[in-house]
Amino acid sequence: MMEHAWRNYKLYAWGKNELRPLSQRPHSGSIFGSYDLGATIVDGLDTLYIMGLENEYREGRDWIERKFTLDNISAELSVFETNIRFVGGMLTLYAFTGDPLYKEKAQHVADKLLPAFQTPTGIPYALVNTKSGVAKNYGWASGGSSILSEFGTLHLEFAYLSDITGNPLYRERVQTIRQVLKEIEKPKGLYPNFLNPKTGKWGQLHMSLGALGDSYYEYLLKAWLQSGQTDEEAREMYDEAMVAIMDKMVRTSPNGLTYVSDLKFDRLEHKMDHLACFSGGLFALGAATRQNEHRDKYMEVGKGITNTCHESYIRAPTQLGPEAFRFSDAVEARALRSQEKYYILRPETFESYFVLWRLTHDQKYRDWGWEAVLALEKHCRTPHGYCGLRNVYQQEPQKDDVQQSFFLAETLKYLYLLFSDDSVLPLDEWVFNTEAHPLPIKGANQYYRQAPVTLPVSNAS
Ligand code: DMJ
């Protein structure tokens, strides 16, 4: 599957961001637009490396060396997307290979994002122009707010970049974000999705483990894991957030399905985004790494959410899950609105299968992953790459003509790892960024490659 996705990207969209498999041309309408940033190359390269596809890996490495730059282009980039895909991708490749090319490129990209952090609070804007450095927020985001899942999903990459370059600046930037979030008053212990970077005040009180919230919670747990479990502040913030989420947002349907609902002010919207399906793995990973009074309960919730996401898949004739699904008296784990019925090759459900497989070795997670592989082959594969579907509830759904870069970065990587031995990227040595780029755990992984500390001259003698 990876070879097929890569080969067709190479044939029809090489150096562009993504492939349109039906049209056999580049996809330029997505987050990275028509700039030649090679998003699929940078995002997919560590997957090729893990799979041992050496020739393809080399082609990608050569393209990065010869072509990849953000200099002399005037692109308006998403700080979050650029960080998780480009900085994250390069950092993993640096950890894997020690090739200084990737460290330089990771730093090059991160430096282009830094102007976005020039706000009164240090909470970055969402978008930054790579040439002018002018930064701004999305017009649609609650009163000029930045978005929790975006500014809260920089910590792993920026902390690691500081450690491998010896430059503390990147860690300082994300530590500032951490302090704002630590000190601010949290309504009912929860984090709303919107925060104004100028005033430091929350926007609309919408909370979610799906779109706009999701990976913030993920990065609290993972910052602690990445630090070799020394960043206790992150773990405490994670534990406190999960207590509130359990109390206010995790619910069980009449037929016993566990789900995490969105919360709008005081009202539960009994809906779960496909994006929130990563949280099955998150609850389980949090439970497995700390012995406390919540451990057994959280492990059960992690398994329950993963099971619910699997149900959302198998209740669709395509055996692939919708973008969002609801719980009411009439339906459970099913999309109701037409704009919720699509599937864009997302990885989150398979990510939870992978984490739960590693933690429990319950065969059902591999069985579920295999069902998904067959469904992807049946409905999403085309002669020229893989496409998403417009409606998972149709027997023969229309395809969307986009091969997302995260299909190579995440979806295929998690499915591959689900069927690999535990010794391939063991979870006590690696922590996955939110785009499935594995980063080494400090103190536990020989590939951490921390920059040597240079002593001041007077002490060095
Ligand atoms: C990916 O870019 C990341 O997983 C992100 O955290 C959420 N959305 C996509 C995949 O669905």
Side-chain angles (χ1 to χ4, degrees), residues 31 43 80-81 84-85 149 153 211 214-216 218-219 274-275 278 323 344-348 351 404-407 409-411 414 433-436:
I31 31 182
D43 226 6
F80 160 74
E81 298 286 1
I84 65 170
R85 301 187 198 212
S149 66
T153 309
D214 51 9
S215 43
Y216 167 61
E218 177 182 357
Y219 271 35
H274 188 290
L275 289 166
F278 85 99
E323 178 66 3
I344 54 167
L345 302 172
R346 287 202 191 277
E348 291 77 13
E351 174 180 348
Q404 304 279 347
S405 80
F406 56 67
F407 181 66
E410 298 193 74
T411 309
Y414 282 128
N433 94 336
T434 196
E435 188 77 0

